């Protein structure tokens, strides 16, 4: 067995003797890299963010920021990571260290207050700094408020890159100023140069300690055979859900099987009749590769957790957990998506509307994996995703509603509505769909259908919202859609 090894700030290190469940955060801190900090241990504060070299969308390699508190260090076997300490350039003996441009801007613009969150902000900011398609600033002294909108700077910096980073000192304005002031990487920047080279190739991993193991196979066939032999195994991709279970609920598994680098699960194909999305592609990869080709997904992505989470989370994982409050199922239901399930004995395709069977239960059999999602074409032209939550971004839905309508000559020819947070599983609003189809897209129709929509599902009272509130929001979401589409047509 070859020992698991990772490259940290340019130096190779052995994962041993860390336990298979040890997070990258704990591993780094034990090595003295204490800029990586634990705040929430759930992937919500970003104090632990680090950069990982991943397959790129516009260049061979992208520097991607991830939550080190969620990723098992064994999952980084064979990969390269950069921490906040690795961004600065050490000077010659007796000379000071040269700060990274992102660190420099954070310092001179007062973006660091107590400093606890600063290394995490710096790593997330550096990932955006190195994004290949980020626009260069128009001029060196560009006005920080001169961007296209409040969330995009004149240098093309997208503040959504920092949506998963929390500053407890409320220093967001100077952090924003720093983000909007950074320029473009120089040709001599080693991390910018690294983007032109191939990313680390996936490696086969079998990291075992005592009775626990973290395993990664090279092919889907090998992985499926392993799952047949180890039905007790926990399957992970980005570990954004399992990492929380390990940290907060102290769950452990005898065998964890990683599928995030399997080539068969990382394909994206656009054909004349459908789009097929690999189950192990991260949401960020899907967003950037589709580039708005599926408007309903494009509307979902910014509202799905944070950029740090989207850099690791996958559609396969979101569906695999079977959560009734996951944000992607309502959208995929409205898109009439189907799930391709792969097992040792072959593959089968299941409409997503028939996939969920109960609370966190599905038709997926032991040993099966979600290989891909299929979205039929053509797409409905009128779509919307409404997420009702306590925060605008990076929050769990109280209710999620996705709409996909075909409206021809003022008549609703087809309606598909996906709901989350109102039943034990994500569901289609079948009664509301029937109340819309064949009727004029008028205020009267919308109001009548909204009354039906309020009765869909079995909303419950919990700490996020009452059942009455959830029902009310269902109805309001349809009225909002009608108002928005009417405004769009009249303008």
């Amino acid at each position: 067995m070859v020992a698991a090894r990772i490259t940290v700030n340019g130096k190779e290190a052995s994962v041993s003797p860390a336990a298979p469940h040890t997070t990258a955060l704990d591993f780094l801190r034990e090595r003295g890299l204490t800029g990586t900090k634990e705040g929430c241990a759930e992937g919500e504060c970003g104090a632990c963010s680090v950069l990982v070299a991943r397959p790129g969308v516009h260049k061979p390699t992208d520097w991607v920021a991830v939550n080190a508190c969620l990723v098992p260090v064994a999952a980084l076997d064979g990969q390269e990571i950069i921490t906040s300490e690795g961004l600065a350039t050490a000077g010659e003996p007796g000379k000071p260290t040269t700060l990274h441009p992102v660190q420099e801007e954070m310092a001179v613009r007062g973006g660091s207050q107590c400093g606890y969150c600063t290394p995490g902000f710096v790593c997330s900011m550096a990932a955006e700094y190195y994004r290949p398609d980020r626009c260069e600033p128009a001029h060196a002294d560009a006005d920080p408020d001169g961007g296209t909108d409040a969330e995009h700077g004149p240098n093309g910096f997208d503040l959504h890159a920092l949506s998963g980073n929390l500053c407890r000192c409320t220093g967001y304005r100077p952090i924003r100023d720093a983000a909007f002031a950074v320029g473009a990487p120089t040709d001599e920047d080693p991390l910018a140069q690294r983007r032109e080279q191939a990313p680390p190739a996936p490696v086969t991993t079998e990291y075992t300690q005592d009775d626990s193991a973290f395993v990664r196979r090279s092919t889907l066939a090998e992985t499926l055979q392993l799952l047949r032999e180890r039905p007790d195994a926990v399957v992970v991709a980005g570990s954004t859900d399992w990492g929380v279970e390990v940290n907060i609920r102290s769950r452990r598994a005898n065998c964890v099987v990683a599928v995030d680098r399997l080539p068969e699960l990382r394909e994206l194909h656009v054909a004349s009749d459908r789009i097929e999305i690999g189950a192990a592609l991260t949401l960020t990869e899907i967003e950037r590769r589709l580039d708005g080709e599926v408007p309903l997904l494009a509307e979902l992505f910014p509202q799905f957790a944070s950029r740090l989470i989207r850099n690791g989370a996958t559609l396969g994982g979101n569906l695999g957990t079977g959560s009734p409050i996951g944000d992607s199922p309502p959208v995929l239901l409205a898109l009439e998506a189907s799930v391709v399930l792969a097992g040792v004995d072959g593959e089968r395709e299941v409409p997503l509307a028939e996939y969920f069977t109960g609370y966190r239960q599905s038709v997926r059999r032991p040993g099966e994996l979600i290989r891909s999602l299929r979205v039929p074409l053509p797409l409905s032209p009128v779509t919307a995703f409404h997420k009702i939550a306590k925060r605008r971004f990076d929050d769990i839905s109280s209710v999620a509603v996705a709409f996909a309508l075909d409206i021809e000559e003022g008549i609703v020819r087809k309606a598909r509505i996906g709901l989350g947070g109102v039943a034990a599983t994500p569901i289609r609003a079948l009664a509301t769909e029937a109340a819309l189809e064949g009727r004029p897209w008028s205020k009267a129709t919308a109001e009548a259908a909204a009354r039906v929509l309020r009765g869909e599902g079995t909303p419950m009272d919990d700490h996020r919202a009452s059942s009455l509130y959830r029902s009310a929001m269902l109805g309001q979401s349809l009225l909002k859609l009608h108002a928005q589409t009417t405004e769009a047509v009249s303008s």
Side-chain angles (χ1 to χ4, degrees), residues 104-123:
E104 178 74 21
E105 293 295 346
M106 284 284 280
V108 300
R109 296 179 187 274
S112 178
Q113 295 194 31
C114 79
Y116 193 91
C117 71
T118 304
F121 267 99
V122 163
C123 284

Side-chain angles (χ1 to χ4, degrees), residues 40 73 120 141 149 199 226 243 248 261 308 358 410 443 448:
C40 65
V73 67
D141 58 347
D149 56 52
L226 174 63
I248 303 302
R261 310 318 300 166
L308 280 169
K443 184 177 180 180

